[in-house]
Amino acid sequence: MHAFTSKMPSISIHISTLFLLTITTTLTFSATPPPSSATTICQYTPYPSFCRSTIPINNSTANVYDYGRFSVRKSISSARKFATLIDKYLSRSSTLTTGAIRALQDCQYLAEVNVDFLTNAFQTVDQKQTTLSSMKSEDIQTMLSAILTNTQTCIDGIQATASSWSSKNGVLAPLANDNKLFSVSLSLFNRGWGVKKNKKRSSIPHRIKHSAFANGQLPLKMSERNKAVFETVGRRNLLQQNNDGGDEVIVSDIVVVSQDGLGNFTTISDAVNFAPNKSQAGDGYFLIYVTAGVYEEYVNIPKNKYYLMIIGDGINQTIITGDRNVVDGWTTFNSATFIVTAPNFVAVNITIRNTAGAIKHQAVALRNGADLSTFYSCSFEGYQDTLYTHSLRQFYRECDIYGTVDFIFGNAAAVFQNCNLYPRLPMPGQFNAITAQGRTDPGQNTGTSIQNCNIRAAEDLGTTKTYLGRPWKEYSRTVYMKTFMDSLIDGAGWREWSGDFALNTTYYAEFDNSGPGSDTSRRVKWLGFQVINATDAVNFTASSFVMGDEFLPQTGVPYNGGL
């Protein structure tokens, strides 16, 4: 996003299991919904007239489920046509600038993801039953939300290179229609199959008191021989039993990355390539242990590397670094030092940096588009656009995040717990905004939740005005809860993006924060800002907002399920 305009051989081990009992509510309906006309159904979508013209079902018995299935099916067709269109443009890349080619390559990747997500969604909604478990319903809503995010990311990238190629409208026009169709599909799904947000949960404790990572150790059970080999190679004991009763993590295999050649690999990327594809939860994590060192490489965890865990030697010990940036011709989307799109990814004890500096504008350290991903005791260091929480469901615990303009941005459903946020010195004339959340549709289950964190100035900040966030997109949603805010936070709290854009449609909220910067008496008077109570705040906790009870226990990472 531009500074003040648009954003654009291994060791086999056997481990005991770790899980948390939860009760998942299943949505039930007393009867099949009555038939409805397209006019009636479409009034509940953001684009009623487009909806009526797009899904003309001439069937007097059609109901919301029929319209929803039709819309998703049509969305698959549109997404495939767009993917073919992008391939066509890229086949004529000799007439395009490098910037345009890179933007189109981003669109090509995102279009493929959209086809996959829509196909998965249709396989679910095409079933005869009209009820879904709350987890399955959240899964589909998450995928449909991500499809809109992917489309918007493509639009942003094309617009950022608009001056460099004349035929851009040949891409932007179909994208605009696709965006409306995907929005209608999301809206119809939410109305027919959507989760009722006041679902009840079992009386499980909100805090997981024992972590598999107690005292920085990961308890792994393996043969004495393999244990001795691993401890020798790793030069530190990751294998100490958890003395406080903490559960253990299931790990299938382990490889070591070490720059001195004593491990299995000398680069992280080689270890990732070696990892198995599409592992199942019951198989356990494929663990990559990365010893201390500075790894100058661009790491990409592709979408087929399920259940991958990377553990380093600690913040500022295991460091992954790069310097790609927008000024040097990269898209924001592909400027990241570390990219992850594989579901159920876990990272512990690593630092990820982008060293391009403030002068290079957008320069991402981590881009995360991995569903049910977890980062624990990690550090993300950059300036503008440090941490790109791009899409899907994400959890961050006890992480350090450094940056300047919009340094936590994107459109995931992301929860940050017990993290340290460090605004640092930007370029002359710039102000800092900690967040720039990118929700574009009221039906998306996305937003940024910052809970029990600390906001303090980095050593070089000086007197730079610093704000909690600004609305990158129309339905931007960010909540701060029980967070310490030092005096660096401007009294207004929040900053406009451009004029009155999105000031009435955002959802910016604060709950029970502390520190000199938490005084809400001088906060902005936008309709989109409010001070909320515990009843509202609980909707943005790990258990509610990202379904944390369903995936965090197996990671071994501590978390608070509630307030």
Side-chain angles (χ1 to χ4, degrees), residues 298 356 454:
Y298 295 94
N454 293 289

Side-chain angles (χ1 to χ4, degrees), residues 250 252 275-276 278-287 303-310 342-346 372 550-551 554-555:
I250 305 172
S252 59
K278 297 186 176 180
S279 298
Q280 300 300 307
D283 298 335
Y285 291 99
F286 182 87
L287 174 58
K303 61 184 180 180
N304 61 343
K305 299 294 182 179
Y306 304 174
Y307 292 96
L308 188 67
M309 179 181 286
I310 296 181
N344 296 96
F345 173 78
V346 181
L372 310 178
E550 307 293 340
F551 75 98
Q554 69 183 345
T555 69

